[in-house]
């Protein structure tokens, strides 16, 4: 039995809430960014991390409604349809901490992350402590930055973030932060603070700030045809906030995205931006 499908009342309600007509104000778009990210994450969790292009194509060809797939086709971990990935769970923990503290409280957020992903939690699978390396595991998967964070937190290091992990956590985890601080001068500082708690390196921060800048454009303005153009202008502004030595590379990356935006997504992901 499907938890959610294309025709489910809950999913239809979510689509109604997130429709352009229902997000006419900045406040509604702040909420929409958070709800949309959490629903989208849960929707793809059962087919998450399918890296074999041929197998994935064959799988998706068997049905038209890909969201909330049952049974799970995840090659790394299996859990109930409707639950979050490790990225969505980070998103949720950040959101909850923001609400409980009326903003960023790094010590509280570190503690919350450890209590959600650490020892004795649903993320504490024997595979991480010398158990059998058999996949898919049953339950949640600890990704690289979280494993590094937990180790650093247990060692009581002040800087708990991974120095090497540059993966997409940095983009997804900052969505509640961007939703709260969009339009405020503190936005980029707050985003960097949250990124570095689990990914303490400049590449992760640069992409986290890039995502926050883009999301801010949409939250403050609604549908924006030239959002990427505005983003490029922000990154090349000599007086921009939170400048990075990587901004020039990001502008070049955005230009490459625009050049291939009309090509099939799978082809671009596998051939143009592979390992990027």
């Amino acid at each position: 039995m499907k938890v959610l499908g294309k025709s489910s009342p809950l999913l239809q309600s979510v689509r109604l809430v997130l429709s352009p007509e229902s997000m006419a104000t900045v406040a509604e778009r702040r909420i929409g960014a958070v709800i949309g990210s959490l629903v989208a994450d849960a929707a793809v969790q059962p087919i998450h991390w399918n890296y074999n292009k041929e197998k994935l194509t064959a799988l998706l060809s068997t049905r038209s409604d890909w969201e909330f797939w049952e049974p799970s086709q995840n090659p790394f971990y299996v859990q109930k349809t409707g639950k979050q990935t490790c990225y969505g769970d980070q998103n949720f923990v950040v959101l909850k901490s923001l609400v409980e503290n009326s903003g960023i409280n790094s010590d509280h957020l570190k503690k919350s992350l450890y209590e959600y992903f650490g020892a004795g939690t649903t993320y504490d699978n024997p595979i991480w402590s010398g158990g059998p390396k058999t996949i898919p595991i049953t339950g949640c998967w600890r990704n690289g930055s979280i494993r590094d964070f937990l180790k650093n937190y247990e060692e009581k290091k002040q800087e708990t973030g991974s120095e090497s992990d540059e993966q997409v956590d940095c983009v997804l985890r900052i969505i509640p932060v961007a939703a709260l601080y969009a339009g405020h001068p503190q936005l980029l500082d707050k985003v960097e603070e949250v990124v570095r708690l689990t990914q303490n390196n400049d590449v992760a921060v640069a992409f986290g700030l890039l995502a926050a800048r883009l999301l801010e454009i949409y939250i403050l303005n609604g549908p924006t045809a030239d959002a990427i153009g505005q983003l490029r202008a922000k990154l090349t502004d000599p007086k921009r906030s939170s400048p990075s030595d990587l901004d020039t590379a990001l502008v070049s990356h955005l230009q490459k995205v625009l050049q291939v935006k009309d090509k099939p997504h799978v082809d671009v992901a596998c051939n143009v931006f592979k390992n990027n």
Side-chain angles (χ1 to χ4, degrees):
M1 177 179 175
K2 292 182 183 179
V3 175
L4 286 176
K6 280 193 171 182
S7 60
S8 75
L10 178 55
L11 194 54
Q12 289 178 352
S13 297
V14 169
R15 287 185 174 132
L16 179 61
V17 169
L18 299 182
S19 68
E21 296 79 10
S22 300
M23 291 195 290
T25 69
V26 171
E28 289 168 337
R29 291 192 290 271
R30 293 184 198 275
I31 295 169
V34 175
I35 293 176
S37 65
L38 290 171
V39 172
D41 180 87
V44 300
Q45 178 264 115
I47 53 174
H48 189 204
W49 284 339
N50 273 276
Y51 295 120
N52 186 304
K53 179 182 175 182
E54 288 71 28
K55 287 184 178 180
L56 180 59
T57 300
L59 175 67
L60 298 182
S61 69
T62 63
R63 50 191 274 189
S64 59
D65 54 334
W66 299 342
E67 65 269 27
F68 300 101
W69 196 294
E70 285 193 310
S72 174
Q73 300 296 316
N74 190 313
F76 287 87
Y77 62 94
V78 175
Q79 58 178 338
K80 290 182 179 179
T81 297
K83 293 182 70 66
Q84 307 290 152
T85 72
C86 52
Y87 305 122
D89 276 338
Q90 290 179 63
N91 192 339
F92 173 76
V93 173
V94 172
L95 173 65
K96 189 170 184 289
S97 182
L98 286 172
V99 172
E100 292 177 354
N101 294 276
S102 300
I104 302 294
N105 180 323
S106 289
D107 289 338
H108 181 274
L109 182 50
K110 288 179 185 178
K111 184 173 183 289
S112 297
L113 286 165
Y114 186 81
E115 290 176 348
Y116 200 95
F117 293 96
T121 69
T122 55
Y123 277 87
D124 191 14
N125 190 283
I127 195 174
W128 311 123
S129 54
K133 305 298 183 183
T134 303
I135 57 173
I137 64 172
T138 299
C140 309
W141 184 277
R142 275 183 189 157
N143 60 313
S145 69
I146 288 297
R147 295 199 297 273
D148 288 350
F149 163 79
L150 295 174
K151 180 176 182 293
N152 292 337
Y153 187 88
E154 289 172 351
E155 293 175 357
K156 302 188 184 303
K157 292 182 178 180
Q158 183 62 32
E159 296 184 351
T160 52
S162 172
E163 295 181 355
S164 59
D165 190 283
E166 302 169 351
Q167 297 185 78
V168 76
D169 309 36
C170 57
V171 171
L172 302 178
R173 191 171 60 257
I174 60 86
I175 292 172
V177 183
L180 177 62
Y181 288 98
H184 295 273
Q186 296 176 304
L187 168 65
L188 299 181
D189 289 340
K190 295 298 185 181
V191 166
E192 179 169 356
E193 184 177 350
V194 170
V195 170
R196 289 196 182 277
L197 291 183
T198 57
Q199 292 173 287
N200 190 23
N201 63 81
D202 291 344
V203 172
V205 169
F207 276 98
L209 295 180
L210 179 76
R213 286 181 167 112
L214 182 60
L215 187 54
E216 182 183 42
I217 292 171
Y218 284 111
I219 288 175
L220 297 183
N221 303 295
T224 307
D226 190 36
I228 298 298
Q230 292 184 34
L231 182 57
R232 291 167 62 194
K234 287 177 180 288
L235 291 172
T236 55
D237 183 352
K239 298 180 180 180
R240 66 190 180 279
S241 301
S242 301
S244 167
D245 292 339
L246 296 171
D247 288 345
T248 300
L250 291 176
V251 171
S252 176
H253 202 74
L254 287 171
Q255 182 60 36
K256 187 182 291 186
V257 170
L258 290 177
Q259 290 171 351
V260 297
K261 67 182 180 66
D262 296 323
K263 295 184 178 181
H265 170 76
V266 172
D267 291 344
V268 172
C270 292
N271 301 313
V272 180
F273 293 113
K274 186 176 182 180
N275 296 326
N276 273 254

